[in-house]
Amino acid sequence: MSAIEDFRSVRFDQEKIVLLDQTRLPEDIKFVELVTVEEVFWSIRNMLVRGAPAIGITAAYGLYLGMFAAIKDSVNADLDAKLQQYVQYLNSSRPTAVNLEWALRRMSRRWELERGISIKERLSALLEEAIAIDREDEAANRTIGEHLAALIKDGMGVLTHCNAGALATSRYGTALSGFYIAKERGVDFKVFADETRPVLQGARLTVWELQQAGIDVTLICDNMAATVMSQGKIQAVMVGADRIAANGDTANKIGTYSVAVLAHHFGIPFYVAAPISTVDLGIDNGQQIPIEERAAEEITVFNGRKVAPDNIAVFNPAFDVTPHELITAIVTEKGVFYPPVDLRSALS
Ligand code: MRU
């Protein structure tokens, strides 16, 4: 097993969160320590931590830290109101990845469940829940990886988009977890990683983590996917997800939809890998998924240099929705689902 698989981009350590600052990769490996709920909000909003499961885990620890401080500051405060205030605040840091809302809801439920015991014990229960969310994600990713690895054969080329690796989760990743397991098993395969404009998660993060694991990875620009597919270099596409609707429509990093259309054109299977915490059974289809729009500067400024004229109109959605018709299978820790599928009944 390589060091990157042991690596945790989010760690909880003695009343603080230790985050690998993903905005500084691959140039600098710098860790930041978060103590306040405001620091947690800011780090999620500004993508020091990113990737659906990692955001959820960070918010869960962040909620615990907020309550820890609230209790220390005033034992008489209305703690239920405080918790709800922090839940809403953290949940507003980024809108698309449902893991954030899911983790906060789970923390909130645990707080409710533990009513009637001492405040100290209630607080310990919150930390216990955050640790459980973290550990369960790791186990889920390993199972997802087993499913994906079974699809990766000698001689295959696999295309991925954005970063759905160890950096985006507790450990192993979702879409990338199969690569680590296939590598452990000695399978001879190649990965092609889209650079993933505009924030470059593919170039800065995916190829960084795969290269460290000794996986054969080639970086391409997003607009080269059709070329590598037409050259017969790609036999499967594996991507992560930020929110999956009950009918299988999937929100993932902007550009995923284009890759799915291309894969369909070339007859290449398109796999979405995600833990159940990414499935939103509260929505019927992808049209109901809120899509984050980010600052224009992500597009108009590159590496500190202006690359577009002043006052240019910019549209910068951070995610798109791939219709379930273009998805060959949704790979989760609870099994592999083949759209069209009703995830409400499949998961009940
Ligand atoms: O904006 P980001 O970097 O948080 O977006 C991340 C993605 O879209 C990933 O592909 C997705 O979260 C899956 S992470 C396991």
Side-chain angles (χ1 to χ4, degrees):
M1 191 180 286
S2 66
I4 187 73
E5 287 165 80
D6 285 331
F7 183 87
R8 286 175 189 276
S9 59
V10 183
R11 262 188 313 118
F12 189 78
D13 184 22
Q14 298 183 10
E15 308 312 338
K16 60 182 182 302
I17 299 169
V18 182
L19 279 189
L20 172 66
D21 182 350
Q22 298 192 36
T23 61
R24 301 183 65 156
L25 287 172
E27 280 171 312
D28 297 320
I29 300 178
K30 287 269 184 296
F31 291 87
V32 290
E33 294 183 355
L34 316 179
V35 177
T36 68
V37 84
E38 290 78 16
E39 287 167 347
V40 173
F41 175 93
W42 192 90
S43 303
I44 296 174
R45 165 74 51 99
N46 292 296
M47 297 173 73
L48 278 72
V49 57
R50 34 65 51 203
I55 293 172
I57 293 163
T58 306
Y61 286 128
L63 184 61
Y64 163 76
L65 285 177
M67 293 308 286
F68 177 79
I71 289 164
K72 210 166 69 183
D73 291 349
S74 161
V75 269
N76 298 320
D78 180 348
L79 294 174
D80 290 340
K82 200 82 201 158
L83 184 114
Q84 280 322 313
Q85 180 199 326
Y86 287 154
V87 164
Q88 278 169 31
Y89 174 60
L90 289 169
N91 195 35
S92 66
S93 55
R94 290 194 74 190
T96 303
V98 76
N99 305 61
L100 176 62
E101 190 183 316
W102 171 87
L104 291 168
R105 206 178 324 117
R106 198 169 141 173
M107 294 288 285
S108 193
R109 260 203 312 267
R110 182 71 190 266
W111 178 257
E112 274 307 307
L113 210 69
E114 302 294 349
R115 210 171 268 289
I117 57 171
S118 75
I119 289 298
K120 207 168 154 228
E121 287 169 323
R122 249 179 132 186
L123 192 61
S124 302
L126 269 191
L127 179 57
E128 205 176 274
E129 196 66 25
I131 293 170
I133 289 170
D134 194 350
R135 300 265 157 84
E136 286 169 28
D137 185 64
E138 178 179 338
N141 294 340
R142 184 77 203 181
T143 308
I144 290 168
E146 295 284 343
H147 289 306
L148 292 175
L151 300 165
I152 303 172
K153 311 279 184 225
D154 278 332
M156 267 175 71
V158 185
L159 178 74
T160 190
H161 188 77
C162 193
N163 172 266
L167 288 167
T169 63
S170 58
R171 214 171 155 205
Y172 306 117
T174 52
L176 303 195
S177 58
F179 300 159
Y180 293 122
I181 296 174
K183 162 91 180 155
E184 266 170 32
R185 294 183 182 155
V187 182
D188 177 22
F189 65 101
K190 283 181 189 305
V191 177
F192 287 81
D194 282 345
E195 66 172 348
T196 318
R197 279 282 286 155
V199 178
L200 302 179
Q201 289 91 335
R204 295 187 304 103
L205 310 176
T206 295
V207 298
W208 180 81
E209 69 165 90
L210 294 181
Q211 190 182 48
Q212 288 191 66
I215 290 171
D216 180 343
V217 57
T218 300
L219 176 64
I220 59 169
C221 296
D222 298 342
N223 51 8
M224 295 168 188
T227 291
V228 292
M229 287 182 181
S230 72
Q231 291 175 347
K233 290 182 172 142
I234 308 296
Q235 282 66 47
V237 176
M238 293 181 182
V239 296
D242 291 83
R243 193 184 294 235
I244 302 174
N247 71 345
D249 291 351
T250 295
N252 192 47
K253 181 51 54 192
I254 190 75
T256 304
Y257 186 8
S258 332
V259 178
V261 171
L262 289 175
H264 185 253
H265 176 77
F266 287 104
I268 296 167
F270 183 92
Y271 300 105
V272 168
I276 292 304
S277 54
T278 303
V279 179
D280 185 352
L281 294 180
I283 57 171
D284 298 332
N285 59 58
Q287 281 170 6
Q288 293 161 270
I289 299 177
I291 299 294
E292 176 181 13
E293 282 190 38
R294 294 188 63 86
E297 289 72 28
E298 284 186 355
I299 298 180
T300 58
V301 178
F302 190 84
N303 218 6
R305 181 174 165 250
K306 254 192 208 167
V307 290
D310 286 340
N311 304 319
I312 189 70
V314 168
F315 177 49
N316 184 19
F319 302 93
D320 58 26
V321 177
T322 300
H324 65 269
E325 295 88 348
L326 296 177
I327 298 171
T328 309
I330 298 171
V331 180
T332 76
E333 75 276 25
K334 299 263 189 252
V336 181
F337 303 102
Y338 299 87
V341 61
D342 175 1
L343 290 170
R344 282 193 189 114
S345 39
L347 290 170
S348 63

